[in-house]
Amino acid sequence: MAHHQTQKVTAHIPVKLLHEAQAATGKGITETLKIALSHLAHAGAYEDLRKMRGKVRISIDLEELRKDR
């Protein structure tokens, strides 16, 4: 794993919420928080992609793609 700069933080998090999040990830506190923060940081990009749904037309010839195999 690459070494990244980190920051130690103290936060008051509802115990039930933390336990539910840990149960969902199957990870410890630090890894669970990293996953949650990553999802939050990427939420804007996901929302932008959802807004484009149905607006982007892609024409793919499946038979032509299969010939590449």
Side-chain angles (χ1 to χ4, degrees):
M1 179 175 193
H3 293 279
H4 299 284
Q5 187 175 2
T6 62
Q7 180 175 341
K8 185 173 181 167
V9 297
T10 300
H12 295 276
I13 301 169
V15 174
K16 183 179 179 200
L17 179 60
L18 179 58
H19 288 170
E20 288 173 353
Q22 283 183 270
T25 64
K27 308 280 183 184
I29 294 172
T30 299
E31 192 60 30
T32 296
L33 293 176
K34 285 180 189 177
I35 291 167
L37 290 171
S38 178
H39 282 278
L40 184 59
H42 296 106
Y46 296 140
E47 183 59 32
D48 291 343
L49 288 172
R50 279 190 288 276
K51 287 178 185 175
M52 291 183 350
R53 184 176 185 172
K55 296 180 182 176
V56 177
R57 300 282 181 227
I58 298 174
S59 177
I60 298 174
D61 183 345
L62 291 178
E63 292 304 317
E64 192 64 34
L65 287 174
R66 288 182 181 126
K67 290 178 186 176
D68 259 357
R69 292 183 178 185

PDB file of all heavy atoms in Angstrom, residues 6-20:
ATOM      1  N   THR A   6      -1.204  11.531   6.239  1.00  0.00           N
ATOM      2  CA  THR A   6      -2.429  11.310   7.005  1.00  0.00           C
ATOM      3  C   THR A   6      -2.589  12.391   8.056  1.00  0.00           C
ATOM      4  O   THR A   6      -1.648  13.127   8.361  1.00  0.00           O
ATOM      5  CB  THR A   6      -2.414   9.936   7.713  1.00  0.00           C
ATOM      6  OG1 THR A   6      -1.324   9.902   8.630  1.00  0.00           O
ATOM      7  CG2 THR A   6      -2.295   8.805   6.716  1.00  0.00           C
ATOM      8  N   GLN A   7      -3.779  12.471   8.597  1.00  0.00           N
ATOM      9  CA  GLN A   7      -4.063  13.420   9.660  1.00  0.00           C
ATOM     10  C   GLN A   7      -4.881  12.692  10.713  1.00  0.00           C
ATOM     11  O   GLN A   7      -5.884  12.054  10.409  1.00  0.00           O
ATOM     12  CB  GLN A   7      -4.856  14.614   9.126  1.00  0.00           C
ATOM     13  CG  GLN A   7      -5.180  15.621  10.207  1.00  0.00           C
ATOM     14  CD  GLN A   7      -5.873  16.861   9.633  1.00  0.00           C
ATOM     15  OE1 GLN A   7      -5.815  17.129   8.448  1.00  0.00           O
ATOM     16  NE2 GLN A   7      -6.522  17.600  10.509  1.00  0.00           N
ATOM     17  N   LYS A   8      -4.438  12.775  11.931  1.00  0.00           N
ATOM     18  CA  LYS A   8      -5.178  12.175  13.027  1.00  0.00           C
ATOM     19  C   LYS A   8      -6.283  13.141  13.427  1.00  0.00           C
ATOM     20  O   LYS A   8      -6.055  14.342  13.557  1.00  0.00           O
ATOM     21  CB  LYS A   8      -4.255  11.899  14.210  1.00  0.00           C
ATOM     22  CG  LYS A   8      -4.944  11.167  15.331  1.00  0.00           C
ATOM     23  CD  LYS A   8      -3.970  10.771  16.412  1.00  0.00           C
ATOM     24  CE  LYS A   8      -4.736  10.023  17.491  1.00  0.00           C
ATOM     25  NZ  LYS A   8      -3.839   9.354  18.417  1.00  0.00           N
ATOM     26  N   VAL A   9      -7.492  12.607  13.598  1.00  0.00           N
ATOM     27  CA  VAL A   9      -8.630  13.447  13.968  1.00  0.00           C
ATOM     28  C   VAL A   9      -9.362  12.838  15.152  1.00  0.00           C
ATOM     29  O   VAL A   9      -9.303  11.631  15.381  1.00  0.00           O
ATOM     30  CB  VAL A   9      -9.623  13.632  12.794  1.00  0.00           C
ATOM     31  CG1 VAL A   9      -8.982  14.341  11.628  1.00  0.00           C
ATOM     32  CG2 VAL A   9     -10.199  12.311  12.357  1.00  0.00           C
ATOM     33  N   THR A  10     -10.039  13.685  15.874  1.00  0.00           N
ATOM     34  CA  THR A  10     -10.930  13.247  16.939  1.00  0.00           C
ATOM     35  C   THR A  10     -12.323  13.664  16.528  1.00  0.00           C
ATOM     36  O   THR A  10     -12.549  14.818  16.157  1.00  0.00           O
ATOM     37  CB  THR A  10     -10.571  13.909  18.280  1.00  0.00           C
ATOM     38  OG1 THR A  10      -9.227  13.549  18.619  1.00  0.00           O
ATOM     39  CG2 THR A  10     -11.515  13.464  19.382  1.00  0.00           C
ATOM     40  N   ALA A  11     -13.252  12.733  16.544  1.00  0.00           N
ATOM     41  CA  ALA A  11     -14.613  13.042  16.123  1.00  0.00           C
ATOM     42  C   ALA A  11     -15.596  12.330  17.034  1.00  0.00           C
ATOM     43  O   ALA A  11     -15.322  11.237  17.525  1.00  0.00           O
ATOM     44  CB  ALA A  11     -14.822  12.604  14.678  1.00  0.00           C
ATOM     45  N   HIS A  12     -16.711  12.958  17.242  1.00  0.00           N
ATOM     46  CA  HIS A  12     -17.797  12.356  18.019  1.00  0.00           C
ATOM     47  C   HIS A  12     -18.800  11.797  17.021  1.00  0.00           C
ATOM     48  O   HIS A  12     -19.474  12.542  16.322  1.00  0.00           O
ATOM     49  CB  HIS A  12     -18.456  13.388  18.937  1.00  0.00           C
ATOM     50  CG  HIS A  12     -17.531  13.886  19.987  1.00  0.00           C
ATOM     51  ND1 HIS A  12     -17.331  13.219  21.169  1.00  0.00           N
ATOM     52  CD2 HIS A  12     -16.713  14.955  20.016  1.00  0.00           C
ATOM     53  CE1 HIS A  12     -16.441  13.874  21.893  1.00  0.00           C
ATOM     54  NE2 HIS A  12     -16.050  14.934  21.205  1.00  0.00           N
ATOM     55  N   ILE A  13     -18.839  10.469  16.938  1.00  0.00           N
ATOM     56  CA  ILE A  13     -19.679   9.773  15.972  1.00  0.00           C
ATOM     57  C   ILE A  13     -20.658   8.907  16.742  1.00  0.00           C
ATOM     58  O   ILE A  13     -20.253   8.186  17.666  1.00  0.00           O
ATOM     59  CB  ILE A  13     -18.811   8.896  15.045  1.00  0.00           C
ATOM     60  CG1 ILE A  13     -17.790   9.764  14.314  1.00  0.00           C
ATOM     61  CG2 ILE A  13     -19.677   8.117  14.054  1.00  0.00           C
ATOM     62  CD1 ILE A  13     -16.734   8.975  13.585  1.00  0.00           C
ATOM     63  N   PRO A  14     -21.933   8.945  16.374  1.00  0.00           N
ATOM     64  CA  PRO A  14     -22.901   8.083  17.065  1.00  0.00           C
ATOM     65  C   PRO A  14     -22.465   6.615  16.979  1.00  0.00           C
ATOM     66  O   PRO A  14     -22.148   6.109  15.898  1.00  0.00           O
ATOM     67  CB  PRO A  14     -24.200   8.319  16.290  1.00  0.00           C
ATOM     68  CG  PRO A  14     -24.039   9.678  15.692  1.00  0.00           C
ATOM     69  CD  PRO A  14     -22.575   9.787  15.364  1.00  0.00           C
ATOM     70  N   VAL A  15     -22.418   5.963  18.122  1.00  0.00           N
ATOM     71  CA  VAL A  15     -21.927   4.590  18.211  1.00  0.00           C
ATOM     72  C   VAL A  15     -22.713   3.655  17.300  1.00  0.00           C
ATOM     73  O   VAL A  15     -22.130   2.836  16.578  1.00  0.00           O
ATOM     74  CB  VAL A  15     -21.969   4.088  19.681  1.00  0.00           C
ATOM     75  CG1 VAL A  15     -21.609   2.617  19.763  1.00  0.00           C
ATOM     76  CG2 VAL A  15     -21.040   4.915  20.540  1.00  0.00           C
ATOM     77  N   LYS A  16     -24.036   3.784  17.298  1.00  0.00           N
ATOM     78  CA  LYS A  16     -24.867   2.907  16.478  1.00  0.00           C
ATOM     79  C   LYS A  16     -24.523   3.081  15.001  1.00  0.00           C
ATOM     80  O   LYS A  16     -24.398   2.100  14.266  1.00  0.00           O
ATOM     81  CB  LYS A  16     -26.346   3.195  16.716  1.00  0.00           C
ATOM     82  CG  LYS A  16     -27.257   2.270  15.945  1.00  0.00           C
ATOM     83  CD  LYS A  16     -28.725   2.559  16.211  1.00  0.00           C
ATOM     84  CE  LYS A  16     -29.574   1.603  15.393  1.00  0.00           C
ATOM     85  NZ  LYS A  16     -30.914   2.064  15.199  1.00  0.00           N
ATOM     86  N   LEU A  17     -24.352   4.323  14.562  1.00  0.00           N
ATOM     87  CA  LEU A  17     -24.007   4.596  13.169  1.00  0.00           C
ATOM     88  C   LEU A  17     -22.650   3.984  12.813  1.00  0.00           C
ATOM     89  O   LEU A  17     -22.495   3.361  11.763  1.00  0.00           O
ATOM     90  CB  LEU A  17     -23.990   6.107  12.923  1.00  0.00           C
ATOM     91  CG  LEU A  17     -23.632   6.566  11.516  1.00  0.00           C
ATOM     92  CD1 LEU A  17     -24.621   6.026  10.494  1.00  0.00           C
ATOM     93  CD2 LEU A  17     -23.585   8.089  11.474  1.00  0.00           C
ATOM     94  N   LEU A  18     -21.685   4.140  13.692  1.00  0.00           N
ATOM     95  CA  LEU A  18     -20.359   3.579  13.455  1.00  0.00           C
ATOM     96  C   LEU A  18     -20.429   2.056  13.371  1.00  0.00           C
ATOM     97  O   LEU A  18     -19.853   1.448  12.468  1.00  0.00           O
ATOM     98  CB  LEU A  18     -19.385   4.007  14.550  1.00  0.00           C
ATOM     99  CG  LEU A  18     -17.963   3.477  14.428  1.00  0.00           C
ATOM    100  CD1 LEU A  18     -17.335   3.899  13.097  1.00  0.00           C
ATOM    101  CD2 LEU A  18     -17.118   3.959  15.593  1.00  0.00           C
ATOM    102  N   HIS A  19     -21.153   1.439  14.284  1.00  0.00           N
ATOM    103  CA  HIS A  19     -21.267  -0.022  14.277  1.00  0.00           C
ATOM    104  C   HIS A  19     -21.973  -0.516  13.020  1.00  0.00           C
ATOM    105  O   HIS A  19     -21.576  -1.536  12.439  1.00  0.00           O
ATOM    106  CB  HIS A  19     -21.983  -0.510  15.526  1.00  0.00           C
ATOM    107  CG  HIS A  19     -21.142  -0.381  16.753  1.00  0.00           C
ATOM    108  ND1 HIS A  19     -21.652  -0.570  18.027  1.00  0.00           N
ATOM    109  CD2 HIS A  19     -19.838  -0.055  16.936  1.00  0.00           C
ATOM    110  CE1 HIS A  19     -20.691  -0.381  18.913  1.00  0.00           C
ATOM    111  NE2 HIS A  19     -19.576  -0.067  18.271  1.00  0.00           N
ATOM    112  N   GLU A  20     -23.002   0.198  12.586  1.00  0.00           N
ATOM    113  CA  GLU A  20     -23.710  -0.188  11.362  1.00  0.00           C
ATOM    114  C   GLU A  20     -22.782  -0.069  10.151  1.00  0.00           C
ATOM    115  O   GLU A  20     -22.784  -0.926   9.272  1.00  0.00           O
ATOM    116  CB  GLU A  20     -24.948   0.683  11.159  1.00  0.00           C
ATOM    117  CG  GLU A  20     -26.065   0.369  12.142  1.00  0.00           C
ATOM    118  CD  GLU A  20     -27.226   1.357  12.059  1.00  0.00           C
ATOM    119  OE1 GLU A  20     -27.122   2.375  11.322  1.00  0.00           O
ATOM    120  OE2 GLU A  20     -28.233   1.124  12.732  1.00  0.00           O
TER     121      GLU A  20
END
